[in-house]
């Protein structure tokens, strides 16, 4: 019996096409994760195209932010405006002659026509249709078949026309989606494809660009399902083969509304970097929003593992809820999977990026402190942002340590004996390791003063950290060193008031 050969999947070309209209949206990364996985799984290419045809909304610096965010996440495109490639230019604003050429070609073939209606006339038309509850809405083809001069003699005339599609009665009513199977769609209207300013609408630009850039799999949000018939018509008229379509489920807030930068700060892609999330944890999270975990026993996975198991049929079509609680858990898991030196380097880099500064103590190097403190805080971290408030006492000058009121209030009225005994015990410790510190304090306070450990070490903890609760005490003292610990113990001793018996 001859074994069946698996079908060979040709190399896929995918693309992500954000608009530079502000901080990049997390949806750009969400789509890019699936774009890149499919391109890599098939040995193809991932393309970045900048859709900058909405000049009024364009924000300076936004395009550079798109590059930075994709690079940070490890989703760097193979081709794009910055890296170049064989099918550029990759900015739509640099392709205007192409769009006009194809739009005029459609007019000449009778598949499109010029429309001179003013925005005011179109607004009145929509209002009339809404008031009459017209079953079929959309443009009424007022300009169809008219010359410019004929239309100019009618009201609502604009000097510069747009170009509209002439949708036939046999327009496509369904298509096959890689994720959803056979999808039925509403009947399209006579969509504008070229605006009066010479810039294309999305519908013309996406078809022209995807074809000329060789895109074989068009991954986009489900909001574009209803527009797909228009795109299929354009492909048919221009004699081109359409790509395969994969319409991803939309990201949603807890109330099921579409996630937006205006309502949810987490919709802004840079927010995750600023908040101290690891890029690999965010990618893992985005994968799981629309795809089952690769492993049966854990949701923690690498992008390579996700890519290796990728199958469009496994994408969930239900709109995923953007649950940051899960991201927090995943981020903590990815942090704990890092080697200590790697985590320390990332914390230091995060502090540099966020402008964290430290007072000069003359003895403490923040980078050294972080490297030595990683083992005592790693299990407690959710994000990189948690590191500084957890170990800030290690970086504070000894004479400027903040002692929390709650911590001071929780101390016994007389702690002088314990503090004196601690100072004496530690002054004799030369090899200032965590084990040596613990043994010296246990001998002096628990055995010497007959105190319970919880009572014995409480004033030491407050003196060293300024808190009632802190990372492991003896390891923290070893990082600080003997001189700093003695200075802090003596400082609290000087503030201690003996309660009369």
């Amino acid at each position: 019996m001859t074994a069946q050969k698996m079908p060979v999947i040709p190399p896929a070309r995918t693309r992500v096409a954000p608009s530079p209209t502000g901080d990049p949206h997390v949806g750009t990364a969400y789509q890019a994760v699936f774009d890149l996985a499919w391109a890599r799984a098939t040995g193809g290419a991932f393309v970045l195209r900048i859709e900058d045809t909405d000049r009024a909304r364009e924000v300076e610096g936004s395009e550079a932010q798109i590059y930075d965010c994709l690079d940070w996440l490890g989703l760097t495109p193979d081709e794009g405006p910055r890296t170049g490639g064989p099918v550029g230019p990759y900015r739509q604003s640099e392709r205007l002659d192409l769009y006009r050429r194809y739009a005029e070609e459609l007019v000449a073939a009778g598949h499109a026509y010029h429309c001179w209606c003013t925005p005011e006339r179109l607004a009145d038309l929509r209002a009339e249709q809404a008031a009459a509850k017209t079953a079929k809405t959309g443009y009424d083809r007022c300009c169809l078949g008219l010359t410019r001069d004929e239309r100019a003699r009618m009201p609502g005339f604009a000097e510069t026309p747009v170009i509209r599609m002439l949708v036939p009665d046999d327009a496509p009513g369904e298509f096959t989606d890689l994720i959803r199977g056979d999808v039925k769609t509403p009947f399209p209207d006579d969509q504008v494809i070229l605006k009066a300013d010479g810039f294309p609408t999305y519908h013309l630009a996406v078809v022209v660009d995807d074809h000329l850039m060789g895109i074989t799999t068009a991954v986009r949000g489900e909001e574009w399902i209803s527009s797909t018939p228009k795109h299929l018509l354009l492909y048919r008229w221009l004699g081109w083969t359409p790509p395969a379509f994969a319409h991803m489920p939309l990201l949603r807030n807890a109330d099921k509304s579409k996630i937006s930068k205006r309502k949810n700060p987490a919709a802004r892609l840079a927010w995750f970097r600023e908040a101290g999330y690891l890029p690999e944890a965010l990618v893992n999270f985005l994968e799981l929003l629309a795809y089952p975990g690769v492993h049966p026993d854990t949701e923690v996975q690498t992008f390579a593992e996700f890519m290796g198991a990728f199958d469009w049929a496994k994408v969930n079509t239900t709109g995923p809820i953007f649950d940051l609680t899960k991201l927090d858990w995943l981020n903590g898991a990815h942090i704990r999977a890092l080697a200590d030196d790697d985590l320390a380097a990332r914390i230091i880099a995060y502090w540099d990026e966020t402008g964290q500064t430290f007072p000069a103590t003359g003895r403490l190097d923040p980078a050294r402190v972080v490297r030595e403190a990683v083992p005592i805080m790693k299990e407690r971290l959710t994000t990189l942002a948690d590191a500084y408030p957890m170990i800030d006492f290690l970086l504070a000058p000894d004479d400027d340590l903040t002692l929390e009121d709650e911590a001071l209030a929780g101390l016994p009225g007389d702690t002088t004996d314990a503090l004196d005994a601690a100072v004496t015990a530690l002054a004799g410790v030369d090899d200032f390791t965590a084990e040596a510190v613990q043994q010296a304090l246990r001998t002096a306070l628990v055995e010497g003063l007959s105190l319970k450990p919880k009572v014995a070490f409480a004033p030491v903890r407050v003196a060293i950290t300024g808190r009632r609760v802190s990372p492991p005490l003896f390891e923290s003292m070893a990082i600080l060193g003997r001189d700093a610990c003695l200075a802090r113990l003596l400082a609290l001793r000087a503030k201690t008031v003996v309660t009369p018996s």
Side-chain angles (χ1 to χ4, degrees), residues 112-132:
Y113 59 97
H114 292 97
C115 172
W116 291 270
C117 290
T118 61
E120 293 76 18
R121 181 189 182 274
L122 297 175
D124 291 342
L125 175 62
R126 287 191 293 270
E128 291 171 8
Q129 291 175 343

Side-chain angles (χ1 to χ4, degrees), residues 153-381:
R153 291 193 287 269
M154 300 167 59
F157 172 79
E159 286 292 335
T160 306
V162 301
I163 294 179
R164 291 183 180 273
M165 299 172 63
L166 179 56
V167 176
D169 294 337
D170 65 344
E174 62 181 330
F175 68 96
T176 301
D177 189 270
L178 288 173
I179 298 171
R180 301 160 189 272
D182 292 337
V183 179
K184 294 188 181 300
T185 56
F187 192 82
D189 61 355
D190 284 8
Q191 178 70 50
V192 173
I193 56 174
L194 195 73
K195 296 179 285 187
D197 61 3
F199 281 78
T201 62
Y202 171 82
H203 306 284
L204 177 64
V206 73
V207 169
V208 171
D209 291 342
D210 281 353
H211 172 73
L212 296 181
M213 293 182 180
I215 302 303
T216 63
T217 309
V219 184
R220 56 192 185 188
E222 65 181 297
E223 71 268 32
W224 295 109
I225 288 177
S226 61
S227 296
T228 304
K230 303 171 189 177
H231 304 160
L232 291 174
L233 279 173
L234 290 170
Y235 278 106
R236 180 204 297 177
W237 293 337
L238 291 167
W240 298 336
T241 300
F245 293 100
H247 288 90
M248 296 291 297
L250 294 179
L251 302 181
R252 301 194 179 278
N253 296 308
D255 63 359
K256 305 297 179 67
S257 62
K258 179 181 176 181
I259 190 169
S260 67
K261 290 184 288 185
R262 185 171 57 85
K263 294 182 178 180
N264 189 339
R268 190 172 61 86
L269 190 50
W271 177 85
F272 296 93
R273 190 173 187 174
E274 295 163 2
Y277 289 98
L278 301 183
E280 57 265 49
L282 179 55
V283 168
N284 189 168
F285 175 67
L286 295 173
E287 293 162 0
L288 295 173
L289 285 173
Y291 202 88
V294 172
H295 306 294
D297 55 346
T298 179
E299 292 185 303
V300 179
Q301 60 195 37
T302 65
F303 179 76
E305 291 170 332
F306 171 68
M307 178 197 71
F310 190 77
D311 182 352
W312 285 113
K314 294 181 181 179
V315 176
N316 190 342
T317 59
T318 303
I321 301 299
F322 211 76
D323 180 9
L324 292 180
T325 302
K326 174 177 277 193
L327 175 58
D328 287 344
W329 178 84
L330 282 170
N331 203 69
H334 278 275
I335 280 177
R336 288 183 284 282
L338 294 175
D340 287 358
D341 287 347
D342 188 2
L343 177 55
R346 296 200 194 201
I347 291 171
I348 294 164
Y350 174 74
W351 286 355
D352 288 341
E353 288 180 6
T354 55
Q356 181 67 60
T357 58
F358 309 96
T361 63
R363 58 173 174 76
L364 286 179
D365 170 28
R368 179 188 70 80
V369 170
V370 171
R371 286 193 295 270
E372 295 183 13
V374 159
I376 68 174
M377 63 174 169
K378 190 175 188 178
E379 294 297 319
R380 297 168 171 79
L381 292 177

Side-chain angles (χ1 to χ4, degrees), residues 96-113:
L96 299 185
D97 289 344
L98 283 171
Y99 307 130
R100 176 165 291 282
R101 186 177 89 201
Y102 286 111
E104 295 291 358
E105 182 179 312
L106 292 171
V107 172
H111 298 306
Y113 59 97

